[in-house]
Amino acid sequence: MELDQVMLLGSVVLLVSIGAARLGTRLGLPSLLLFLGLGVLVGELGLDFHDASLAHSLGFAALVLILAEGGFTTRWVEIKGALPGAVLLATVGVGISVAVVGAFAHYLLGLDWATSVLLGAITSPTDAAAIFSVLRRVPLPAKLRATIEAESGLNDAPIVLLVATATSWSLGQGVEGGPVWMVALVILELIGGVVLGVAIGWLAVQAMRRIALPASGLYPLAALGWAVLAYGLGSWLHLSGFAAVYVTALVLGNGELPHRHATRSFAEGIGWIAQIGLFVMLGMLADPVDVSGPSVLAGVVAGAVLTFVARPLSVVVCLAWFRVPWREQAFISWAGLRGAVPIIMATVPLAAGAPRASELFDMVFAFVVVFTLLQSPTLPWVAKLLEVSTGQDATDVEIEFAPLDTIKADMMQVHVPDGSRLHGVTIRELRLPKNSVVSLIVRDNEPFTPKPEQIVRVGDDLLIVTNGTDRRKVESRLRSISSGGRLGGWAR
């Protein structure tokens, strides 16, 4: 196909996918599966795509962007308490799932040990694309959501190595160093990726704070560039590039950068493009017409073992140490969504020409489709059934700021969302620092200059001009009142 034809078809597929996302929201269907179905339809209409190696490379590139989006939109104050449990789930939990599914595949499905372990490794990781797009529509306690999201951001790292090792084993090649060395290598690569991500993230924050770029649109591009740099550098150093990109984006997203809201919005848009392209491509790679009934049945049964046996067991073993309530453990078990990552990992043995690789791909494809349809739409219902959801959305204020370099000041834009306890508070009761002032309120698209007795309402946008050194105090004050009411943070 010529370039202009590719651009025409690509734009049509993108617009149809955006429409499908809207339709999926109305019907309660996971939009990612609609993208997958669209890819299958495009493939059946004659646009053949059977290059597993290219799919593997493009899939990894898409995952980098999706993980970056997850890091940019995750708040550190929410995730820091959940990090130990998430790390255990991403390492020990993955190992338990691989062992359970591998034993099942060997003894009950009759697969050889190498192929059985490969199936367990491919199906074990939760999927960041599915987690970030589905879970954030479910109102949950911050720590619970953070545990599931952090796990999905970190468990790709050990899985890449496990799948590569199992593929080599299935091809008759020995595992260098044995299982003990492989486990040690997984841990070392994961730790190295996290350290690299922290270092690059810190360096990026310092650079972007001190260098005033000529256009606001360059800040989101620079932030994304730093995140992708972390992945590339991590892979080059034989560390976990996926862990590095997620941690770098997490540091950047919480680094009080100029135009943070614009950066997060840009990252969300790039994340959606990556998800759409990824699932459409994987749908084109699949060939449902040639999928055999036994492969579908084996995939569904293996998925049932993973979902109802291996996943709950791994959650209990990993989170019992942190006294996580059993209701939250049950929800975390059910919310371990599998999506693009298992299908991408299934392209590794397919590209390498491993025995029974096509059968494995068909099994994984069937498993992902069936259990995403089962789990994603039921997450809100399960959250209410287990009483881990109150049905109330988060009430934190949205704060954006832009530096006014010539006068050494910052202009902040504060949006008051539904449920915020800023509602009903007067400007005087905000008790802002001496050199900070609410210069304008925009209400129902009508701007006006407020007086000290003016009452703040839900939906208002406040424009606050502050001395650059006091901006953090203003942010802290507004967040305290938003969550605790007019007396929140009085000692501050």
Side-chain angles (χ1 to χ4, degrees), residues 263-292:
T263 299
R264 289 173 179 169
S265 297
F266 177 77
E268 288 179 10
I270 292 296
W272 271 106
I273 291 176
Q275 291 174 42
I276 291 171
L278 176 59
F279 278 85
V280 170
M281 178 194 68
L282 293 176
M284 292 169 60
L285 184 66
D287 195 352
V289 176
D290 295 334
V291 175
S292 65

Side-chain angles (χ1 to χ4, degrees), residues 21 83 101 103 110 121 141 196 231 270 301 322 349 369 389 425 429 452 491-492:
L83 206 53
V101 175
L196 179 65
Y231 172 79
I270 292 296
V301 174
F322 304 101
V369 170
S389 172
V425 175
E429 289 172 327
R492 302 181 186 180

